[in-house]
Amino acid sequence: MMNSYIILLLGMALVTYLPRMLPLVILSEIELPPFWKRFMLYIPSAALSALIFPGILQATDSVFAALVGGLAAVLLAYFKFSLLTVVTASILTVFLYQLLF
Amino acid sequence: MSQESMIEEKNGAGSQHFHRGLLAGLPVAIGYLPIAVAFGVISRTAGVPHLAAVLMSLLVFAGASQFVAVELLAAGAAFPGIVATTFFVNLRHILMSATVSRKLPDLSRSWLAVLAFGITDESFSLLSTDRRSRLSGYYVLGVIILPYLAWVTGSLVGVMLGGQLPEILESSMEIALYAMFLGLIVPEITSSSSRFKIALIALLLSSISYWNPLFDVSEGWRITLSTATAAFLGTVIFSGDDYDE
């Protein structure tokens, strides 16, 4: 039983590791053309946006709690608080919101 | 080991970078804990052997695909199908690893092969938005290590205890990773109007693929396609008008 699970886990590990490893090893040695360099610079903003929305709406038990927590994070980040502060304050906000409403 | 990392090691800057990395990774570790506990609990409920669930976190270290795998196991899916699904769910890491590679030009292949294991949505977000154009290998190692420990420990706790954290606490903690993403995207898009517009395009594409009534798009493909399309459009439209870096 466990043996067949080992094969499954190794298979999953391999197909997860390769897409992480190959681009890192291969591309770090290559000088990219300007177009693709700029493309790479734009990836973080695009990826963060897709990672946040609409996933955030289901992050907590209610959409409103998630929106309030998200708003707290945006405000604190806008005023340049540290990431740890942003995260902790957002958790606290959601916690309090759920406690009160 | 590359020249730079050898020099770092000699004058102790390596351990300084490592410590800074640990601190930077802390919000990710906090965010992973409740999700990892939930993963352990769900694996247990689905009848996955305890050891297999913990080993999965130890060897695979990719949240979304692990949840999908357990769901498929519970439904009695065949193993090759589960491996194939895992592959597709994690394909988005190609884009993320490629982006992070731009910050690590000085590292040897073996360094990169080790650090690659720790590339997740969250470590990618931290590393790719870093203001520095080059990052030390020790820093990256520091960033990925606490989240990994939190992921494995949380899974173990979930599998052993089976119970939940208090509902309200768990539900509040699950905002953590989104708060971190927001904390990272705000300085990105307020410092550049083209990045702001690209984020809006990605938001729009992500919403369309999520809510359209015509076809189902899995989470992995939604993120990969929205990201790549928005960044590509941005590169074409904003050719060099604010090439800030």
Side-chain angles (χ1 to χ4, degrees):
Chain A
M1 177 71 168
M2 198 57 209
N3 277 346
S4 61
Y5 269 104
I6 295 284
I7 295 171
L8 169 72
L9 293 177
L10 290 179
M12 287 178 67
L14 188 73
V15 299
T16 308
Y17 179 64
L18 288 181
R20 284 171 166 163
M21 185 271 281
L22 292 176
L24 203 60
V25 169
I26 295 168
L27 286 180
S28 62
E29 293 173 7
I30 295 175
E31 182 66 21
L32 290 173
F35 180 89
W36 292 108
K37 267 191 189 165
R38 235 180 30 250
F39 174 75
M40 295 288 191
L41 287 178
Y42 287 149
I43 292 276
S45 314
L48 282 167
S49 185
L51 285 167
I52 293 167
F53 200 84
I56 190 170
L57 300 178
Q58 288 166 356
T60 71
D61 286 345
S62 87
V63 175
F64 287 107
L67 288 178
V68 171
L71 193 67
V74 169
L75 279 176
L76 289 169
Y78 187 78
F79 291 107
K80 300 194 164 51
F81 282 90
S82 80
L83 206 52
L84 198 57
T85 314
V86 170
V87 169
T88 329
S90 176
I91 294 175
L92 271 175
T93 309
V94 173
F95 183 78
L96 289 176
Y97 182 91
Q98 290 184 326
L99 211 58
L100 296 173
F101 299 100
Chain B
M1 201 180 277
S2 72
Q3 212 173 4
E4 185 177 301
S5 26
M6 275 191 292
I7 296 166
E8 271 175 11
E9 197 166 47
K10 230 186 205 167
N11 57 26
S15 85
Q16 216 174 356
H17 284 300
F18 181 71
H19 283 118
R20 249 181 249 155
L22 288 180
L23 198 63
L26 193 58
V28 181
I30 294 173
Y32 279 1
L33 263 182
I35 303 174
V37 173
F39 170 74
V41 172
I42 289 169
S43 311
R44 188 187 161 110
T45 319
V48 176
H50 297 183
L51 183 61
V54 177
L55 275 178
M56 196 190 286
S57 287
L58 205 64
L59 294 173
V60 180
F61 187 36
S65 66
Q66 290 183 221
F67 277 99
V68 175
V70 167
E71 221 171 277
L72 290 173
L73 279 172
F79 286 3
I82 299 178
V83 172
T85 307
T86 305
F87 175 70
F88 288 116
V89 172
N90 290 327
L91 261 188
R92 67 182 185 286
H93 291 141
I94 290 182
L95 217 52
M96 301 184 176
S97 272
T99 307
V100 171
S101 78
R102 311 321 299 160
K103 303 253 183 203
L104 304 170
D106 307 315
L107 296 183
S108 69
R109 285 182 174 184
S110 36
W111 251 114
L112 293 169
V114 172
L115 298 180
F117 180 75
I119 299 292
T120 60
D121 295 346
E122 292 74 23
S123 62
F124 149 80
S125 304
L126 275 176
L127 298 171
S128 67
T129 53
D130 199 294
R131 292 287 151 200
R132 291 165 291 183
S133 60
R134 290 165 175 233
L135 297 172
S136 137
Y138 292 99
Y139 177 77
V140 180
L141 192 66
V143 165
I144 64 186
I145 221 158
L146 287 182
Y148 180 57
L149 291 177
W151 184 248
V152 175
T153 315
S155 309
L156 187 67
V157 169
V159 160
M160 299 307 286
L161 300 183
Q164 305 285 102
L165 296 168
E167 172 75 27
I168 184 168
L169 185 66
E170 183 176 279
S171 168
S172 326
M173 278 184 80
E174 280 179 6
I175 196 77
L177 294 179
Y178 291 100
M180 187 188 77
F181 291 144
L182 286 166
L184 291 170
I185 200 175
V186 166
E188 283 286 297
I189 60 180
T190 48
S191 66
S192 145
S193 72
S194 45
R195 285 180 194 195
F196 182 77
K197 288 170 199 153
I198 287 161
L200 279 185
I201 298 174
L203 184 96
L204 190 71
L205 293 172
S206 177
S207 305
I208 292 171
S209 36
Y210 187 81
W211 276 300
N212 86 81
L214 302 175
F215 43 87
D216 258 344
V217 186
S218 72
E219 191 194 13
W221 283 114
R222 175 174 61 76
I223 294 167
T224 310
L225 294 177
S226 314
T227 302
T229 313
F232 186 84
L233 285 177
T235 317
V236 174
I237 301 168
F238 310 117
S239 49
D241 62 347
D242 75 346
Y243 186 71
D244 42 347
E245 217 79 24

